[in-house]
């Protein structure tokens, strides 16, 4: 698509001479990596107002540092997410890495903790390469092949080997979007001494299979791994390190598929703890006997999805996370009886990244301190540590907030509505202050991606500008297909049930019409990735009931998406969306694809994409934009040449958010 020069294309719209714009800097110009089409000038005054809502530093836990008694965390620096070292609670975060691109998954060497291995891609292309860094000297060396996509690394217990999965990458040009040649991805499982990357050993080689979540047994002789099939199905496998022989640990399900998460060995190496939904609608903590394969539920009393757990043999406790109406509850269990112990008092929010300071792969400390990430509507992501014996809770990351205080932000409320089939659907509503903004308020419906992700009551950051300053309500729905509500719910949008989730938004529009504080005549729908498809689909199904839509890295046509997504993802996506090689399914996907129904889109659309997106190729954006232009439907387009599946670099994300505010103002407030 031809690049549109922003200032030249918008001078007439702004009715101001181009030279005047440049001389007085009245507007925010996009950087050289952004293609901007149809977006009016962004007043500098708007950017200054929004920036008061934008500086909320957040951090997430990576590892305990055995040599320093501190932590490694991930946080944003000037432009991207990097690694930092924190010596103690509230101490200054010292930079460990500093690259133009974000650092991905990182793993610290067990024992001495001298080296860290991490993923890094280029400009959002997600072709991750593994690097080893010596923490003291900052000496850096590549480990994996730059022409292949390396998965998350896992150290052995001794700390002298790592293992990771490597995928071949399909580099063909995507000029012919109808080319549906079969290109099965090759997956290799590789073991290597990070200090001797040239001596890497290929332990196994597969076609069109996805393995991850590696963990070594306590004696380093067996490798545990997870094979991902779909959002509803995965398996656990064991590999003998010496011979490379594979053995499936989990039994073949008798009827419905089974999902496994977070598997780890017991201290004696005789069992594997995991999260499983075998025989249950919800995900439970289970123990699998390695010799027999027998699986038993350890805490069946919890009727919620378990989202994470870690075992401390030193403290004789299990830390467990349950998902209760979207909020996380941290529970502590006795390791022998699995009965619940007194629960730590924490404010409502989302918890992740739980890790003991001893036991398992991180065998440092006394095993009685639990690190975790915590985020809520009024608190950006921070790393905490809880001493389970004393009950003392310590906040480790505590960067100062500059701008509007988070305590002024709105807490969400859970709302529920009945869909077309009488099923209850829920979501989170952020309602503006009625005294400051009386009367019916316009609404933005934000639909999550996945499609199996879940909207949770996290920190909205500068989205609070829309609520606090513009008086626009925000609704984050969990349509069918979302996780957190049982495996039956997550399967309700599979295959030819795809548009049932779109009908859930139609029912939400009905619900909005009946609310005294919401204005059904001023509703905008937005979403990213699968949520972008949903925004487009709602635009075709309910064009007279919305005022506009925002599609961020979304799917516009399922067949072209499945044809052009990277080969290592294709079979996984076919399980979710349907196999386009089957004539009947292909006809269905053609029928429901927004691109083939674009003539029904009547309201303004804002399309956003990264040029290097390997998941949803940029052609998905370009083809819907071209079609809407041809039929004279108002459309804005923003594309970043140095981004992939979403905007991660600060300057790009800033311009995107300013543009979204302009679009929302045009669509909902004029």
């Amino acid at each position: 698509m031809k690049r549109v020069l922003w200032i030249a294309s918008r001078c007439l719209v702004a009715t101001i001479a181009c030279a005047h714009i440049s001389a007085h800097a009245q507007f925010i110009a996009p950087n050289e990596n952004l293609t901007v089409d149809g977006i009016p000038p962004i007043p500098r005054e708007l950017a200054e107002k929004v920036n008061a809502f934008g500086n909320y530093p957040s951090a997430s836990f990576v590892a305990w540092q055995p040599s320093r008694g501190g932590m490694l965390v991930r946080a944003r620096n000037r432009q991207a997410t990097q690694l930092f070292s924190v010596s103690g609670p509230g101490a200054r975060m010292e930079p460990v890495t500093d690259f133009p691109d974000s650092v991905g998954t990182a793993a610290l060497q067990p024992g001495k903790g001298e080296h860290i291995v991490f993923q890094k891609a280029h400009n959002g292309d997600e072709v991750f390469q593994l690097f080893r860094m010596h923490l003291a000297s900052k000496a850096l060396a590549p480990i994996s092949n730059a022409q292949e996509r390396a998965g998350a690394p896992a150290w052995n217990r001794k700390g002298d080997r790592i293992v990771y999965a490597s995928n071949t990458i399909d580099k063909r040009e995507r000029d012919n979007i109808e080319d549906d040649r079969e290109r099965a991805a090759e997956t290799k499982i590789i073991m290597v001494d990070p200090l001797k990357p040239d001596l890497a050993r290929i332990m196994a080689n597969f076609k069109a299979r996805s393995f991850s979540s590696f963990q070594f047994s306590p004696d380093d002789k067996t490798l545990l791994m997870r094979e991902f099939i779909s959002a509803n199905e995965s398996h656990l496998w064991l590999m003998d390190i010496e011979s490379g022989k594979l053995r499936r640990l989990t039994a073949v399900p008798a009827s419905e598929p089974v999902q496994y998460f977070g598997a780890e060995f017991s201290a004696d190496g005789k069992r594997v703890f995991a999260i499983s939904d075998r025989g249950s609608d919800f995900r439970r903590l289970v123990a699998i006997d390695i010799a027999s394969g027998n699986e038993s539920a350890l805490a069946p009393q919890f009727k919620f999805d378990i989202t994470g757990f870690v075992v401390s043999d030193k403290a004789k406790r299990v830390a467990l996370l349950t998902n209760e109406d979207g909020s996380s509850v941290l529970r502590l269990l006795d390791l022998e009886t699995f009965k619940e112990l007194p629960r730590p008092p924490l404010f409502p929010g989302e918890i992740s990244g739980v890790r003991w300071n001893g036991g398992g792969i991180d065998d440092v400390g006394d095993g009685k301190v639990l690190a975790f990430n915590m985020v809520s509507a009024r608190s950006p992501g921070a790393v905490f540590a809880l001493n389970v014996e004393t009950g003392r809770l310590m906040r480790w990351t505590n960067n100062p907030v500059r701008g509007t205080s988070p305590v002024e932000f709105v807490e969400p409320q859970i709302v529920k509505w009945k869909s077309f089939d009488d099923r209850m659907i829920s979501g989170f509503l952020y309602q503006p202050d009625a005294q400051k903004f009386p009367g019916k308020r316009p609404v933005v419906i934000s639909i999550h991606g996945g499609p199996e992700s879940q909207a949770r009551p996290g920190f909205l950051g500068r989205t609070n500008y829309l609520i606090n300053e513009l008086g626009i309500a925000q609704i984050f729905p969990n349509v069918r297909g979302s996780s957190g509500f049982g495996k039956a719910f997550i399967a309700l949008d599979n295959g030819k049930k795809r548009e049932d989730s779109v009908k859930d938004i139609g029912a939400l529009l009905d619900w909005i019409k009946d609310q005294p504080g919401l204005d059904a005549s001023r509703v905008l729908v937005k979403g990213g990735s699968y949520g972008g498809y949903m925004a487009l689909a709602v635009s075709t199904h309910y064009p007279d009931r919305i005022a506009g839509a925002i599609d961020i890295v979304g799917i516009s046509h399922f067949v072209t998406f499945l044809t052009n997504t990277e080969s290592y993802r294709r079979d996984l996506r076919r399980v979710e969306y349907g196999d386009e090689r089957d004539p009947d399914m292909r006809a269905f996907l053609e029928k429901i694809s927004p691109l083939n129904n674009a003539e029904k889109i009547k309201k303004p659309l804002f399309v956003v994409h990264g040029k290097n997106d390997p998941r949803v190729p940029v052609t998905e954006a370009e083809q819907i934009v071209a079609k809407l232009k041809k039929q004279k439907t108002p459309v804005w387009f923003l594309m970043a040449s140095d981004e992939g599946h979403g905007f991660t670099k600060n300057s790009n994300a800033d311009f995107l958010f300013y543009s979204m505010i302009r679009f929302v103002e045009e669509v909902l407030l004029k």
Side-chain angles (χ1 to χ4, degrees), residues 538-552:
V538 170
S539 298
T540 66
H541 280 258
Y542 309 105
D544 298 327
R545 304 187 63 186
I546 63 171
I550 301 175
D551 157 31
I552 303 174

Tab-separated table of all heavy atoms in Angstrom, residues 538-552:
chain	number	residue	atom	x	y	z
A	538	VAL	N	-19.162	-7.209	14.305
A	538	VAL	CA	-20.253	-6.412	14.875
A	538	VAL	C	-20.635	-5.298	13.904
A	538	VAL	O	-21.821	-4.954	13.761
A	538	VAL	CB	-19.837	-5.852	16.246
A	538	VAL	CG1	-20.862	-4.831	16.747
A	538	VAL	CG2	-19.697	-6.978	17.263
A	539	SER	N	-19.645	-4.746	13.205
A	539	SER	CA	-19.919	-3.677	12.238
A	539	SER	C	-20.769	-4.161	11.077
A	539	SER	O	-21.518	-3.374	10.482
A	539	SER	CB	-18.604	-3.111	11.697
A	539	SER	OG	-17.833	-2.531	12.718
A	540	THR	N	-20.651	-5.457	10.736
A	540	THR	CA	-21.463	-5.990	9.641
A	540	THR	C	-22.823	-6.483	10.124
A	540	THR	O	-23.802	-6.429	9.385
A	540	THR	CB	-20.736	-7.152	8.926
A	540	THR	OG1	-20.596	-8.271	9.812
A	540	THR	CG2	-19.356	-6.720	8.455
A	541	HIS	N	-22.908	-6.957	11.361
A	541	HIS	CA	-24.168	-7.497	11.889
A	541	HIS	C	-25.086	-6.408	12.445
A	541	HIS	O	-26.308	-6.528	12.348
A	541	HIS	CB	-23.883	-8.519	12.988
A	541	HIS	CG	-23.503	-9.863	12.471
A	541	HIS	ND1	-24.364	-10.931	12.429
A	541	HIS	CD2	-22.332	-10.318	11.958
A	541	HIS	CE1	-23.755	-11.991	11.915
A	541	HIS	NE2	-22.513	-11.649	11.632
A	542	TYR	N	-24.495	-5.390	13.053
A	542	TYR	CA	-25.304	-4.370	13.735
A	542	TYR	C	-24.871	-2.957	13.316
A	542	TYR	O	-24.588	-2.115	14.161
A	542	TYR	CB	-25.164	-4.530	15.254
A	542	TYR	CG	-25.410	-5.940	15.729
A	542	TYR	CD1	-24.343	-6.760	16.120
A	542	TYR	CD2	-26.694	-6.479	15.781
A	542	TYR	CE1	-24.554	-8.061	16.546
A	542	TYR	CE2	-26.911	-7.783	16.205
A	542	TYR	CZ	-25.842	-8.567	16.584
A	542	TYR	OH	-26.050	-9.859	16.997
A	543	PRO	N	-24.842	-2.686	12.001
A	543	PRO	CA	-24.331	-1.388	11.538
A	543	PRO	C	-25.155	-0.196	11.999
A	543	PRO	O	-24.620	0.911	12.135
A	543	PRO	CB	-24.362	-1.526	10.013
A	543	PRO	CG	-25.397	-2.577	9.745
A	543	PRO	CD	-25.286	-3.538	10.883
A	544	ASP	N	-26.448	-0.411	12.240
A	544	ASP	CA	-27.315	0.692	12.647
A	544	ASP	C	-27.345	0.888	14.155
A	544	ASP	O	-28.004	1.810	14.649
A	544	ASP	CB	-28.738	0.459	12.135
A	544	ASP	CG	-28.802	0.406	10.615
A	544	ASP	OD1	-28.009	1.118	9.973
A	544	ASP	OD2	-29.624	-0.368	10.078
A	545	ARG	N	-26.625	0.032	14.897
A	545	ARG	CA	-26.684	0.102	16.354
A	545	ARG	C	-25.369	0.559	16.971
A	545	ARG	O	-25.267	0.648	18.193
A	545	ARG	CB	-27.101	-1.253	16.914
A	545	ARG	CG	-28.439	-1.744	16.334
A	545	ARG	CD	-28.908	-2.991	17.018
A	545	ARG	NE	-29.166	-2.753	18.419
A	545	ARG	CZ	-29.476	-3.695	19.306
A	545	ARG	NH1	-29.560	-4.952	18.900
A	545	ARG	NH2	-29.688	-3.413	20.560
A	546	ILE	N	-24.367	0.789	16.127
A	546	ILE	CA	-23.098	1.311	16.625
A	546	ILE	C	-22.756	2.586	15.862
A	546	ILE	O	-23.259	2.829	14.759
A	546	ILE	CB	-21.958	0.290	16.477
A	546	ILE	CG1	-21.689	-0.031	15.004
A	546	ILE	CG2	-22.263	-0.984	17.262
A	546	ILE	CD1	-20.429	-0.864	14.782
A	547	ALA	N	-21.887	3.390	16.468
A	547	ALA	CA	-21.472	4.649	15.837
A	547	ALA	C	-20.154	4.506	15.095
A	547	ALA	O	-19.808	5.357	14.264
A	547	ALA	CB	-21.349	5.745	16.901
A	548	GLY	N	-19.400	3.442	15.379
A	548	GLY	CA	-18.117	3.235	14.725
A	548	GLY	C	-17.401	2.059	15.357
A	548	GLY	O	-17.875	1.454	16.324
A	549	ALA	N	-16.220	1.733	14.792
A	549	ALA	CA	-15.463	0.577	15.285
A	549	ALA	C	-13.974	0.798	15.094
A	549	ALA	O	-13.549	1.543	14.199
A	549	ALA	CB	-15.910	-0.700	14.580
A	550	ILE	N	-13.186	0.144	15.943
A	550	ILE	CA	-11.723	0.172	15.851
A	550	ILE	C	-11.228	-1.264	15.783
A	550	ILE	O	-11.497	-2.066	16.684
A	550	ILE	CB	-11.090	0.891	17.056
A	550	ILE	CG1	-11.594	2.334	17.145
A	550	ILE	CG2	-9.566	0.873	16.957
A	550	ILE	CD1	-11.107	3.084	18.374
A	551	ASP	N	-10.517	-1.580	14.715
A	551	ASP	CA	-9.977	-2.923	14.484
A	551	ASP	C	-8.455	-2.851	14.584
A	551	ASP	O	-7.800	-2.220	13.751
A	551	ASP	CB	-10.413	-3.415	13.094
A	551	ASP	CG	-9.503	-4.496	12.533
A	551	ASP	OD1	-8.945	-5.270	13.332
A	551	ASP	OD2	-9.362	-4.565	11.285
A	552	ILE	N	-7.890	-3.508	15.605
A	552	ILE	CA	-6.436	-3.516	15.806
A	552	ILE	C	-5.919	-4.925	15.539
A	552	ILE	O	-6.327	-5.875	16.201
A	552	ILE	CB	-6.069	-3.069	17.234
A	552	ILE	CG1	-6.641	-1.676	17.518
A	552	ILE	CG2	-4.561	-3.073	17.438
A	552	ILE	CD1	-6.451	-1.216	18.948
